[in-house]
Amino acid sequence: MRKKVAFLINPSKRDQLNAYVNWVKSRVEMDLAIFDEKWPNSLAPYDEVWVMGGDGTFNYFVNRYPACSLPIGLFKGGTGNDFYWKLFGDISREMHLLAILEAKVESVDAGQVNEMLFLNGVGIGIEGEVLRSMEAIRYIKGGLGYYLAAIPALFRFKHYRISGLPVFLCMVFNSSRAGGGFHFFPMASIEDGELDMMVCKPLPVWKRLIYMPIIQAGKHVHLPFLNFSRIRQQTISCDRVLRAQVDGEVLESKTFEFQVLPAKFEFIVPINL
């Protein structure tokens, strides 16, 4: 019996991704149900689900189908593709499709902040401001777009307080990177049952600019103004309402309640992992 697969495409990028979708269809012998406008109410009729898009699309998927127990295959189709990279690295399109068809499945953690699930991570404060700026330059993909959005925010963002302590940046991640290649948590595992937390002390503007490329490369974990920890559950209370980015989506709050969801989803990964 042929496998039945729900293939969910980011509707806002349907035209851009159409050639990639057709390429996949021409190379598989499965019953592919393509959803590039409206996604199905239920995934129950299917054996697997494939999702094509970027980090925002994957975030939308896990929040729309939080109880999904099907094997999930991710296809790169966004601006950053950071969670895709965590699973597949920089392999070719052909090798990626081979991995999807081989269908080796691993249980992967997710995180939750307030009522939202996330796969990559959450940045509170300046990350939310960077995301707002990136909306105007989303056509510039990867780290360059993040740089162009981040630099103005580095100049204007003012620190905030968590439990009375001044903080420039607080991030809680499940995976390793965001922003199209900024390795905020190079040590992070998506299978350890924990989230990684980083708190940065207030910095003058010149230090913010100097350390930005060091953070991008993941060479910052021993810097004295950064504190790293691992958590399973944590409530972060800020002294004002802040904008946070959650896998490229916006969440505004004064209080952020985090918890890890161990082995929450089943993702298809390369056979050699």
Side-chain angles (χ1 to χ4, degrees):
M1 183 180 294
R2 298 210 316 179
K3 194 177 290 185
K4 295 180 65 176
V5 179
F7 199 0
L8 313 184
I9 317 300
N10 180 346
S12 68
K13 294 193 174 183
R14 179 179 56 181
D15 294 339
Q16 300 173 41
L17 298 174
N18 186 55
Y20 190 7
V21 173
N22 288 333
W23 180 86
V24 173
K25 288 167 58 180
S26 70
R27 283 161 172 78
V28 303
E29 295 182 0
M30 296 178 176
D31 291 333
L32 284 182
I34 308 294
F35 297 92
D36 58 4
E37 293 185 15
K38 184 179 179 181
W39 287 9
N41 292 327
S42 172
L43 299 174
Y46 304 100
D47 302 306
E48 283 182 8
V49 55
W50 298 353
V51 187
M52 182 179 287
D55 294 316
T57 305
F58 305 152
N59 177 270
Y60 177 79
F61 171 82
V62 298
N63 281 281
R64 177 164 180 146
Y65 307 104
C68 178
S69 60
L70 298 178
I72 304 165
L74 300 185
F75 287 73
K76 181 169 63 174
T79 53
N81 305 301
D82 293 298
F83 191 72
Y84 170 96
W85 172 87
K86 185 67 173 177
L87 295 180
F88 294 102
D90 298 316
I91 63 176
S92 68
R93 181 177 289 187
E94 290 76 12
M95 292 300 295
H96 166 260
L97 183 58
L98 179 61
I100 294 293
L101 297 178
E102 289 175 334
K104 176 190 174 185
V105 175
E106 293 282 354
S107 297
V108 170
D109 303 336
Q112 182 171 337
V113 55
N114 296 356
E115 301 302 318
M116 291 183 68
L117 301 189
F118 61 90
L119 296 173
N120 258 338
V122 179
I124 301 172
I126 187 171
E127 279 285 288
E129 298 304 314
V130 171
L131 180 62
R132 183 173 65 172
S133 300
M134 285 192 74
E135 292 299 323
I137 56 170
R138 278 198 179 274
Y139 59 88
I140 302 178
K141 295 187 177 183
L144 177 58
Y146 187 89
Y147 259 105
L148 293 176
I151 289 175
L154 289 175
F155 276 97
R156 65 173 177 260
F157 188 77
K158 296 181 180 180
H159 72 265
Y160 53 100
R161 291 181 179 273
I162 296 175
S163 300
L165 298 176
V167 170
F168 172 64
L169 172 65
C170 179
M171 307 181 83
V172 177
F173 265 52
N174 177 48
S175 189
S176 296
R177 70 177 218 185
F182 278 73
H183 296 263
F184 294 111
F185 293 89
M187 75 298 278
S189 167
I190 53 177
E191 299 176 294
D192 62 357
E194 294 182 309
L195 300 174
D196 288 82
M197 180 173 173
M198 176 178 72
V199 176
C200 178
K201 297 177 182 179
L203 295 173
V205 171
W206 67 270
K207 280 192 175 182
R208 301 176 189 180
L209 295 172
I210 286 176
Y211 285 108
M212 190 173 177
I214 295 172
I215 292 173
Q216 181 181 21
K219 306 291 187 182
H220 59 293
V221 294
H222 300 298
L223 294 176
F225 51 82
L226 298 176
N227 179 59
F228 288 88
S229 59
R230 290 196 169 115
I231 62 171
R232 291 186 175 90
Q233 192 167 350
Q234 183 81 32
T235 298
I236 296 175
S237 299
C238 307
D239 63 346
R240 65 180 189 268
V241 173
L242 291 168
R243 183 181 288 109
Q245 76 84 15
V246 185
D247 287 354
E249 303 301 317
V250 175
L251 172 66
E252 289 190 3
S253 185
K254 190 175 180 179
T255 301
F256 300 88
E257 297 182 349
F258 288 93
Q259 64 174 318
V260 67
L261 306 174
K264 174 64 176 172
F265 295 107
E266 300 289 317
F267 281 99
I268 298 173
V269 299
I271 200 74
N272 58 345
L273 290 186

